[in-house]
Amino acid sequence: MAMEVTQVLLNAQSVDGTIRKQAEESLRQFQEQNLPSFLLSISGELANEEKAVDSRRLAGLVLKNALDAKEQSTKFELVQRWLSLDMNVKIQIRAYLLQTLSSHVLDARSTASQVIAKVAGIELPHKQWPELIGSLLSNSHQLPAHVKQATLETLGYLCEEVSSDVVDQDQVNKILTAVVQGMSSTEVNNDVRLAATRALYNALGFAQANFTNDMERDYIMRVVCEATLSPELKIRQAAFECLVSISASYYEKLAPYIQDIFNITAKAVREDEEPVALQAIEFWSSICDEEIDILEDFVGEFSGDSEVPCFYFIKQALPALVPMLLETLLKQEEDQDLDEGAWNLAMAGGTCLGLVAQTVGDDIIPLVLPFIEENISKPDWRQREAATYAFGSILEGPSPDKLISIVNVALDFMLSALMQDPNNHVKDTTAWTLGRVFEFLHGSTLQTPVITPANCQRIISVLIQSMKDAPNVAEKSCGALYFLAQGYEDSGSSSPLTPFFQDIVQALLVVTHREDAGESRLRTAAYEALNEVVRSSRDDTAPMVMQLVPLIMMELHKTFEVQKLSSEEREKQAELQGLLCGCLQVFIQKLGAFEQTKYVFTQYADQMMGLFLRVFACRSATVHEEAMLAIGALAYATGVDFAKYMPEFFKYLEMGLQNFEEYQVCAITVGVVGDICRALEEKVLPYCDGIMTQLLKDLSSDRLHRSVKPPIFSCFGDIALAIGENFEKYLMYAMPMLQSAAELSAHTPGFDEEMTDYTNLLRDGILEAYSGILQGFKSTAKAPLLMPFAPHILQFLDSLYQEKDMDDAVTKTAVGLLGDLADTLGSHAGPLIQLSVSSREFLNECLSSDDHLIKESAEWARLAITQAVSG
Amino acid sequence: MAPHQVRRPFKRAAISDQQKRRELALLRQQQSRRDSQHQARSSILSLQPEPEPEPEPRDFDVARASKLKGAEAREWFSRQLTLPEWMIDIPPRLNQDWYVFARPSGKRCFVVSSDGTTVSRLRNGYVLHHFPSALPNGARTKDVSGPSHSFCLLDCIFHELDQTYYVIDMVCWRGYSLYDCTAEFRFFWLSSKLAETGACDTPSLYHRYRFSVVPIYSCDLTGLHTAYAGNVPYVKDGLLFYNKHAHYQTGNTPLALVWKDESCSQYVLDTDSKGQVPAQQQVVLELQDDGKLTTSDDPPVVFGCLEKELFQKFDLLSGSLLRFAIGEGGMRFLDGNVEMADLHYLGKVNRGRAFSDNTSKVCWFILYISCSL
């Protein structure tokens, strides 16, 4: 068998497709027929020094794929399969793997490292293979260099794969000691040092305790800083990556080192090669991220007991940091604006400058202004572009009143530059900067407007003119127009854009038809600007928006005309359909909101729905997200009339609810079910069996992204509210699910913020479901059917109250549910409610809440309970 | 292990327009869900022991009426306000079941906000003001907080001095009828909802008149005293008493009562056009086909009868409102019916007036005058 495997593995990499397919098939059969034997032979293959490197490498990959998969449910199955494997087989495979680490073939060692990490990822949480880390670390300093390198690489992968809580501190200490030793400047072998440095990057997450110990931390920091000075580029780069990671994970420990780090990064930015310099800049961007977060929390709650204090590293480094970043701006690449994937020193430096401005606010202005004045009119385009980019970067952060006087001076200059500068790059950045001006310094909340009746017309005509420029420049101008329109969102009954509405819309439509609109996202930018112009328009332009409806419908219709598309064309078609459905969605929402246009608009509803259904029909397996969003808006606008579309639409609704892979689509479809329930009310009943079946399947699936589950619970509430007591037949399925979800969500894991947020979303969904069901059954003969669930609901409310970690949204929904319970079940539930903690302490706390939404729900609950108890 | 490249978004907005569309859709859905929930909850009276005999078609009427124009609107609105009776005796359980508040002096009116505008209509249905307001759908500004067809109906008194609408009751809010809600619930809803719209803010371009709530007290001794003697930012015109459990009743109702005396109102007795209190108390009655003179009570109370020949003499049509003086003979009641009334015809009343006086008012005046004498 062993002989055969080699040949099959080599055949599986053959250039001949038939041979390859045959080989893959026999591998699959072998695996299915006898898994232990299969795994043993491929791990033996990997370990066998006499075999060809290609077959060894593939053997390792096949083994790795037998242990892990991207898809969650498959992954789970593979884990279970490995755990249930005979222990002797596993011991033999582990031995093969460890043995391979000493191989002289780099590829074999490296593959084995990854496989060992996968096995560890499965076994360590189950307290299996406890000797692994010990055996990796035993006499590691006596090993030959290539084995040392493989061992460190394995430790790196292992730290990436395994969660830090399954490795005890003693072992963590040993791992870190081995890794840091491998990194130190005394290590003469560069491969070993690089492997160690990369391993540290992953091991940093395990080093919580070590970073609280001054001596250990000092040692780790010293070694990392030394590694940034290694003669080997890859080591320097990996060392800076470690610094970036440390800045995010251990911000509060950095104070003693920040001066040294500044010197190191400044030198790297100015003198080192680009991959290293980019990481050095990223260190400061990451510090900005941290300080922006901390300072935001300060503003958010004046408690002053924020967990992490702000050390104001950026503020202190400012006088040296800003000049360093400004220098990078002059190192642009010729065509960076035309290359979607470009990322260079100038781009990273400018991005960092923008973050610095957000961190320190006003203080940045005097440091950047001289650079702008110095360079803005220089003959060299690099200087003009750098000056403009610097200006655009600092527009978010400083207070508007500090910026407005500067902008007022600069505006005219920029408008001229956008028209006349000979350089494409300069115009691109100028248009982008104008967009930033409108985004941050224009809008109803600002005291002194940048855009006045005196300059409005010129600004608009320049932007429209610039939309005829090269695609990258035109795209930025569309973006600027987007923010210009956004600023007029709350401008009262007539928008200053009204006189220009027709011209703007005309210009944007012309852009969408440009032959080169596919470049630089231009078409997308034009449609997005059109959306924002419409969204921020007033009813005085409603008739013009109305005229756009048939135009865009016609465009959508045109996308169906081309037959027999290649897969690339099909993708482009779907993208364009998405943009057009997006526009229609915006129009529906706008026109449906005006009484004067609503009637005329609903005459288009049939046609529009027809087009959306055709968009769906363009695909076989999935539904189009944008079309689904637009249909939700249509259901809301047409109300009960939407019923006539249901027979045809229903299958796509089901399809959307089945889309586990694109969970966004599934989530949006769940939202649309809610829209339809509210639009159709009891007329949705005939479709509820199908909808409920799918929703229940969704909830019990491991494959569906968890973020979709809370809205599904809320959707139960929407359905129950629409069909009232007809929800009875679903109670036996929905209630147990709600109950078990409620039990799961009663407690949050305190340490994990993300999990806490999710738990609160889940609670909100569950509570909304209960509210909807109770209100749906109110005043019906079947209300008593809900009585058996009352104890559990009250228990859930009580436990939520006792956990003391509800957010405001959950608190409001919870106290409202208390009222719903009393309202629907009345005097039957009265005594039960009175017994619960929720009806007393929780209610009283809510009654004296500062949040008026909570207070309002509580007042209502109090009233309902009073009636229930007295009735 | 590959290097960890960092590439941050460059010259891109923080969120895409698609994400914005998703978020706006989500926002709309959450708002609609909240609205449906409110709608379900606002009919809290489902628990009341006696259920309403039939679902009233009034919600539909109100929605339609909010769009009525001209004479039709005047006709409809002139029948919609709750009209308190005069307090001629003390209702039982006054201290437990009733609210009291100082009535602002001014023009009683209905305020309707819908379709981006706000209209106030006097007791007779005629328009007082047509203006933009911060009420839901009360001005043509972008309002994401509710569907466009939502409207509000508020029972108000327009107080000239500070140009403010004092809201004394909430009848519909964002399209949801509060007719069938108890006064307790309506007042709670009023106090929690009005302020959040910005309607209580000082006037601005899209909000011409300020709205304000009046302080409402439970009718215990403290509450009564505060309402009677306490300081309010408006000129008082008597006290209003509302039964906590009563629904909003159109027309006359004994579940809302008014009290006036000289220390809590400037206008205790009717004044003539020169502001003088006439020597004799007057009463306005409606002339019926058969010549009977009736009050606006339901059923009407007959105060007297007019001879056919007087019809012609004074050129009167049935349905006209006539003013009479109550003579020295006064009036006598027996079992709720008028046994005797000494009425002297004075003339027709101002055309702006919508209906005749009710019995409780007449009684109250007679009692008041006899006491002060």
Side-chain angles (χ1 to χ4, degrees):
Chain A
M1 193 56 111
M3 281 300 290
E4 274 174 46
V5 160
T6 308
Q7 195 52 53
V8 175
L9 285 168
L10 289 174
N11 286 350
Q13 302 170 74
S14 164
V15 279
D16 183 333
T18 336
I19 298 180
R20 203 169 59 234
K21 278 222 173 76
Q22 218 167 29
E24 282 165 0
E25 179 56 24
S26 38
L27 281 174
R28 197 183 58 75
Q29 277 179 8
F30 187 7
Q31 177 161 203
E32 274 172 15
Q33 281 158 12
N34 191 342
L35 181 72
S37 158
F38 174 73
L39 294 176
L40 274 174
S41 57
I42 54 172
S43 50
E45 181 81 10
L46 173 63
N48 193 336
E49 285 289 280
E50 288 162 15
K51 299 292 182 181
V53 59
D54 283 346
S55 89
R56 293 179 75 181
R57 192 197 307 111
L58 188 61
L61 284 178
V62 171
L63 190 54
K64 196 175 117 186
N65 289 338
L67 295 165
D68 195 11
K70 277 217 176 81
E71 220 249 317
Q72 282 300 308
S73 59
T74 319
K75 180 182 179 136
F76 182 74
E77 279 167 29
L78 293 177
V79 167
Q80 294 307 314
R81 196 176 73 172
W82 175 264
L83 286 171
S84 56
L85 217 58
D86 180 65
M87 188 47 89
N88 289 321
V89 174
K90 284 194 277 192
I91 288 173
Q92 182 59 51
I93 295 173
R94 290 172 188 166
Y96 278 139
L97 290 169
L98 287 175
Q99 179 192 327
T100 314
L101 291 183
S102 316
S103 166
H104 286 282
V105 181
L106 177 66
D107 262 356
R109 292 198 306 272
S110 186
T111 314
S113 295
Q114 296 175 44
V115 179
I116 291 171
K118 292 290 176 194
V119 175
I122 297 174
E123 297 199 332
L124 296 192
H126 291 86
K127 306 260 181 270
Q128 296 178 11
W129 209 2
E131 69 281 10
L132 167 66
I133 293 172
S135 59
L136 284 172
L137 293 172
S138 68
N139 58 44
S140 67
H141 43 282
Q142 295 163 15
L143 296 169
H146 72 278
V147 186
K148 215 181 201 178
Q149 176 268 338
T151 305
L152 287 165
E153 195 175 339
T154 310
L155 289 172
Y157 282 125
L158 188 140
C159 291
E160 195 176 23
E161 205 64 44
V162 175
S163 137
S164 62
D165 53 341
V166 303
V167 183
D168 62 39
Q169 187 59 42
D170 184 45
Q171 289 192 320
V172 168
N173 292 342
K174 284 181 184 156
I175 294 174
L176 282 171
T177 308
V179 167
V180 175
Q181 253 169 24
M183 270 182 85
S184 79
S185 50
T186 54
E187 174 58 60
V188 287
N189 184 301
N190 276 342
D191 292 340
V192 172
R193 209 176 168 196
L194 179 61
T197 312
R198 288 182 177 167
L200 181 70
Y201 182 90
N202 288 333
L204 282 167
F206 288 63
Q208 295 289 346
N210 312 79
F211 262 82
T212 55
N213 179 312
D214 290 351
M215 260 176 55
E216 290 181 41
R217 187 182 62 241
D218 283 350
Y219 182 57
I220 296 172
M221 290 303 293
R222 203 188 74 213
V223 171
V224 174
C225 289
E226 278 172 12
T228 65
L229 305 171
S230 158
E232 176 63 35
L233 180 139
K234 282 184 179 166
I235 295 175
R236 295 199 301 277
Q237 186 185 353
F240 273 111
E241 285 171 22
C242 288
L243 277 181
V244 171
S245 170
I246 290 169
S247 71
S249 309
Y250 301 104
Y251 168 84
E252 72 276 17
K253 303 288 185 202
L254 281 179
Y257 318 106
I258 200 78
Q259 183 61 50
D260 288 339
I261 296 176
F262 179 79
N263 294 337
I264 294 169
T265 49
K267 192 166 157 35
V269 170
R270 292 198 166 103
E271 296 166 17
D272 212 327
E273 293 181 56
E274 191 165 66
V276 183
L278 287 177
Q279 291 295 338
I281 293 175
E282 179 58 25
F283 173 84
W284 291 101
S285 290
S286 167
I287 294 285
C288 288
D289 288 342
E290 292 303 311
E291 296 198 340
I292 290 168
D293 275 358
I294 296 169
L295 295 171
E296 247 172 28
D297 285 350
F298 276 169
V299 179
E301 39 194 300
F302 276 105
S303 58
D305 61 4
S306 166
E307 281 171 39
V308 183
C310 186
F311 289 96
Y312 299 99
F313 293 140
I314 298 294
K315 205 179 165 84
Q316 289 162 33
L318 210 56
L321 185 60
V322 171
M324 173 187 95
L325 294 172
L326 290 173
E327 279 172 41
T328 66
L329 295 185
L330 292 158
K331 299 186 177 160
Q332 310 95 323
E333 288 174 315
E334 281 295 341
D335 287 330
Q336 68 182 42
D337 284 320
L338 305 177
D339 176 6
E340 277 289 313
W343 186 244
N344 57 39
L345 213 56
M347 295 165 103
T351 306
C352 187
L353 187 66
L355 291 166
V356 171
Q358 287 181 54
T359 314
V360 302
D362 295 353
D363 293 350
I364 198 155
I365 299 176
L367 294 169
V368 174
L369 211 50
F371 178 83
I372 300 172
E373 287 165 348
E374 162 79 25
N375 291 291
I376 194 84
S377 341
K378 281 282 159 60
D380 181 359
W381 71 265
R382 287 176 189 279
Q383 287 174 289
R384 298 197 304 279
E385 197 277 339
T388 315
Y389 195 66
F391 187 42
S393 296
I394 62 165
L395 290 170
E396 184 184 12
S399 52
D401 41 312
K402 290 275 188 320
L403 288 170
I404 276 180
S405 57
I406 308 169
V407 168
N408 281 333
V409 176
L411 191 63
D412 207 50
F413 184 91
M414 283 192 290
L415 291 172
S416 305
L418 188 52
M419 288 293 87
Q420 288 152 20
D421 199 288
N423 182 275
N424 167 287
H425 200 133
V426 173
K427 285 192 283 189
D428 183 297
T429 302
T430 305
W432 171 77
T433 301
L434 282 169
R436 301 261 297 177
V437 168
F438 303 148
E439 183 177 4
F440 300 111
L441 299 170
H442 158 60
S444 61
T445 52
L446 291 158
Q447 293 292 323
T448 3
V450 170
I451 305 173
T452 60
N455 64 18
C456 189
Q457 182 163 13
R458 165 133 199 261
I459 292 170
I460 290 167
S461 67
V462 167
L463 289 180
I464 287 178
Q465 191 60 32
S466 165
M467 283 179 208
K468 297 173 188 148
D469 209 318
N472 62 313
V473 178
E475 184 236 351
K476 304 296 185 304
S477 295
C478 290
L481 194 65
Y482 185 102
F483 290 113
L484 182 98
Q486 188 178 68
Y488 286 127
E489 226 167 25
D490 307 310
S491 61
S493 67
S494 173
S495 164
L497 286 188
T498 297
F500 311 106
F501 189 86
Q502 193 94 45
D503 291 342
I504 292 172
V505 167
Q506 194 57 41
L508 288 170
L509 290 175
V510 169
V511 172
T512 65
H513 289 124
R514 275 174 61 154
E515 277 193 19
D516 53 4
E519 293 169 34
S520 294
R521 274 184 84 252
L522 178 56
R523 184 176 289 114
T524 306
Y527 278 122
E528 289 182 344
L530 182 64
N531 287 345
E532 192 58 26
V533 167
V534 169
R535 262 196 293 258
S536 63
S537 69
R538 292 291 168 289
D539 46 358
D540 52 7
T541 41
M544 284 184 260
V545 176
M546 187 66 86
Q547 288 169 8
L548 280 170
V549 176
L551 272 178
I552 298 293
M553 287 202 303
M554 185 60 83
E555 294 290 328
L556 188 52
H557 185 83
K558 273 196 241 162
T559 66
F560 307 125
E561 282 170 0
V562 198
Q563 303 291 321
K564 292 198 182 148
L565 299 168
S566 68
S567 67
E568 195 190 337
E569 285 166 330
R570 190 172 293 279
E571 205 173 297
K572 280 199 171 139
Q573 179 203 39
E575 196 188 323
L576 181 56
Q577 288 171 344
L579 293 172
L580 295 166
C581 289
C583 285
L584 290 174
Q585 185 205 344
V586 173
F587 299 167
I588 293 168
Q589 217 142 314
K590 193 77 198 174
L591 297 171
F594 291 135
E595 212 52 48
Q596 47 165 345
T597 49
K598 200 175 170 177
Y599 176 71
V600 191
F601 159 75
T602 45
Q603 294 181 321
Y604 287 120
D606 286 358
Q607 270 175 289
M608 245 187 254
M609 192 64 197
L611 288 169
F612 296 149
L613 290 170
R614 287 189 69 181
V615 172
F616 284 139
C618 287
R619 298 194 190 179
S620 50
T622 56
V623 296
H624 200 292
E625 176 181 349
E626 291 281 356
M628 192 56 89
L629 270 174
I631 285 176
L634 193 67
Y636 175 74
T638 53
V640 73
D641 292 341
F642 191 83
K644 62 179 168 181
Y645 308 126
M646 282 304 285
E648 217 180 328
F649 172 55
F650 183 64
K651 66 175 171 189
Y652 299 111
L653 194 70
E654 269 187 317
M655 217 187 260
L657 294 176
Q658 285 160 356
N659 199 338
F660 294 148
E661 283 71 32
E662 298 164 278
Y663 69 89
Q664 287 270 28
V665 174
C666 189
I668 278 162
T669 313
V670 171
V672 170
V673 171
D675 282 328
I676 289 173
C677 287
R678 284 181 290 271
L680 301 193
E681 296 189 332
E682 66 277 10
K683 286 196 177 149
V684 78
L685 188 60
Y687 306 98
C688 285
D689 281 358
I691 292 172
M692 280 301 291
T693 309
Q694 201 49 55
L695 291 178
L696 290 165
K697 274 191 198 162
D698 285 356
L699 279 178
S700 30
S701 165
D702 296 329
R703 283 166 58 214
L704 183 62
H705 194 275
R706 65 176 190 183
S707 68
V708 190
K709 299 195 174 176
I712 290 179
F713 284 125
S714 307
C715 190
F716 281 178
D718 298 339
I719 294 171
L721 210 51
I723 63 172
E725 60 187 335
N726 291 306
F727 196 80
E728 180 193 354
K729 59 177 166 175
Y730 309 124
L731 285 179
M732 61 181 290
Y733 308 105
M735 285 312 217
M737 279 209 169
L738 282 164
Q739 285 192 8
S740 58
E743 276 152 27
L744 272 177
S745 78
H747 310 285
T748 53
F751 54 88
D752 186 344
E753 207 175 308
E754 202 182 324
M755 194 59 201
T756 306
D757 288 350
Y758 175 72
T759 306
N760 272 318
L761 285 175
L762 195 59
R763 290 169 172 177
D764 206 43
I766 296 166
L767 296 167
E768 282 189 330
Y770 281 138
S771 275
I773 294 170
L774 281 162
Q775 286 297 341
F777 277 69
K778 182 166 77 169
S779 323
T780 69
K782 296 200 172 143
L785 286 177
L786 298 180
M787 202 47 217
F789 305 105
H792 165 78
I793 294 176
L794 284 166
Q795 217 177 352
F796 180 45
L797 290 171
D798 282 356
S799 66
L800 288 184
Y801 171 64
Q802 276 148 2
E803 284 281 309
K804 305 273 178 208
D805 58 0
M806 282 186 272
D807 61 21
D808 282 355
V810 176
T811 308
K812 181 198 153 276
T813 323
V815 74
L817 173 58
L818 192 63
D820 295 328
L821 203 64
D823 190 21
T824 296
L825 299 176
S827 54
H828 306 289
L832 210 56
I833 293 172
Q834 276 181 303
L835 279 177
S836 71
V837 192
S838 305
S839 71
R840 298 187 306 271
E841 281 129 70
F842 177 47
L843 182 60
N844 284 334
E845 269 177 37
C846 293
L847 282 168
S848 50
S849 168
D850 297 331
D851 183 314
H852 82 265
L853 286 175
I854 293 178
K855 205 172 163 179
E856 174 190 298
S857 289
E859 293 276 3
W860 182 82
R862 185 182 59 84
L863 217 64
I865 292 173
T866 313
Q867 294 205 359
V869 170
S870 66
Chain B
M1 278 164 286
H4 300 82
Q5 292 285 358
V6 182
R7 192 184 182 290
R8 288 173 180 257
F10 181 70
K11 289 187 180 174
R12 286 275 175 273
I15 70 160
S16 69
D17 192 71
Q18 183 184 34
Q19 188 54 28
K20 185 167 179 170
R21 286 198 295 279
R22 283 192 196 123
E23 283 168 13
L24 286 174
L26 211 58
L27 213 65
R28 172 176 58 69
Q29 286 162 349
Q30 279 167 352
Q31 180 65 43
S32 313
R33 178 176 295 136
R34 239 193 329 267
D35 288 349
S36 313
Q37 219 171 43
H38 276 182
Q39 193 170 24
R41 284 176 180 168
S42 63
S43 51
I44 189 171
L45 286 145
S46 59
L47 287 178
Q48 291 279 313
E50 317 116 282
E52 293 288 317
E54 61 187 71
E56 297 198 21
R58 192 160 48 193
D59 289 2
F60 171 72
D61 281 357
V62 176
R64 205 180 45 184
S66 72
K67 313 231 177 309
L68 291 179
K69 302 265 177 322
E72 256 189 315
R74 285 197 294 276
E75 159 66 17
W76 192 85
F77 280 99
S78 69
R79 289 182 283 108
Q80 293 306 310
L81 280 169
T82 207
L83 300 173
E85 293 195 354
W86 290 72
M87 190 185 259
I88 37 185
D89 60 358
I90 297 171
R93 289 166 60 89
L94 180 72
N95 60 341
Q96 287 168 31
D97 288 349
W98 292 72
Y99 288 120
V100 61
F101 59 91
R103 182 192 186 279
S105 147
K107 292 175 178 133
R108 176 83 183 282
C109 53
F110 247 143
V111 172
V112 186
S113 73
S114 74
D115 281 350
T117 184
T118 309
V119 177
S120 56
R121 289 180 181 275
L122 296 168
R123 276 174 67 160
N124 56 18
Y126 279 84
V127 173
L128 173 65
H129 297 129
H130 197 132
F131 59 105
S133 77
L135 292 173
N137 237 330
R140 293 192 191 280
T141 54
K142 208 183 83 167
D143 178 15
V144 291
S145 62
S148 65
H149 52 266
S150 77
F151 60 91
C152 297
L153 205 55
L154 303 174
D155 185 344
C156 297
I157 292 171
F158 182 68
H159 188 252
E160 289 280 356
L161 219 58
D162 60 358
Q163 295 282 300
T164 295
Y165 279 93
Y166 286 91
V167 185
I168 61 170
D169 211 334
M170 183 176 267
V171 185
C172 289
W173 187 252
R174 290 196 193 278
Y176 303 139
S177 163
L178 295 164
Y179 273 105
D180 294 333
C181 296
T182 59
E184 186 173 24
F185 186 79
R186 295 198 311 272
F187 288 162
F188 152 64
W189 214 242
L190 169 61
S191 66
S192 54
K193 288 294 171 190
L194 189 68
E196 73 186 44
T197 60
C200 301
D201 298 348
T202 45
S204 56
L205 184 55
Y206 297 104
H207 180 54
R208 192 168 305 151
Y209 295 103
R210 198 167 70 94
F211 285 76
S212 183
V213 291
V214 297
I216 293 171
Y217 307 97
S218 254
C219 202
D220 51 24
L221 215 54
T222 339
L224 198 56
H225 181 77
T226 319
Y228 186 78
N231 277 324
V232 280
Y234 49 83
V235 179
K236 280 187 208 175
D237 182 21
L239 298 180
L240 283 170
F241 296 81
Y242 274 66
N243 186 292
K244 288 182 183 176
H245 310 295
H247 298 191
Y248 192 90
Q249 177 85 46
T250 59
N252 288 316
T253 169
L255 295 176
L257 300 169
V258 56
W259 170 266
K260 291 187 187 186
D261 65 33
E262 273 149 341
S263 65
C264 71
S265 170
Q266 298 181 336
Y267 315 101
V268 181
L269 301 174
D270 282 356
T271 49
D272 62 18
S273 52
K274 292 175 192 126
Q276 301 293 314
V277 178
Q280 288 172 314
Q281 193 49 43
Q282 300 174 353
V283 54
V284 174
L285 298 168
E286 184 174 348
L287 179 64
Q288 303 294 339
D289 288 341
D290 52 7
K292 280 183 178 142
L293 297 166
T294 60
T295 62
S296 63
D297 300 277
D298 184 22
V301 175
V302 181
F303 268 41
C305 202
L306 213 58
E307 298 297 326
K308 281 275 177 196
E309 62 233 44
L310 285 172
F311 271 52
Q312 276 123 35
K313 182 174 164 197
F314 295 115
D315 189 21
L316 301 174
L317 296 169
S318 72
S320 350
L321 298 179
L322 309 177
R323 189 181 295 278
F324 295 89
I326 300 175
E328 282 167 12
M331 295 178 65
R332 268 208 312 277
F333 289 88
L334 191 72
D335 299 332
N337 289 321
V338 181
E339 197 183 52
M340 188 285 287
D342 183 11
L343 298 175
H344 302 269
Y345 177 66
L346 295 174
K348 283 189 269 191
V349 302
N350 189 318
R351 285 198 327 132
R353 179 142 181 180
F355 27 62
S356 52
D357 288 333
N358 62 42
T359 320
S360 71
K361 179 177 179 184
V362 180
C363 296
W364 190 85
F365 279 113
I366 292 167
L367 286 171
Y368 188 82
I369 290 166
S370 59
C371 290
S372 52
L373 287 172

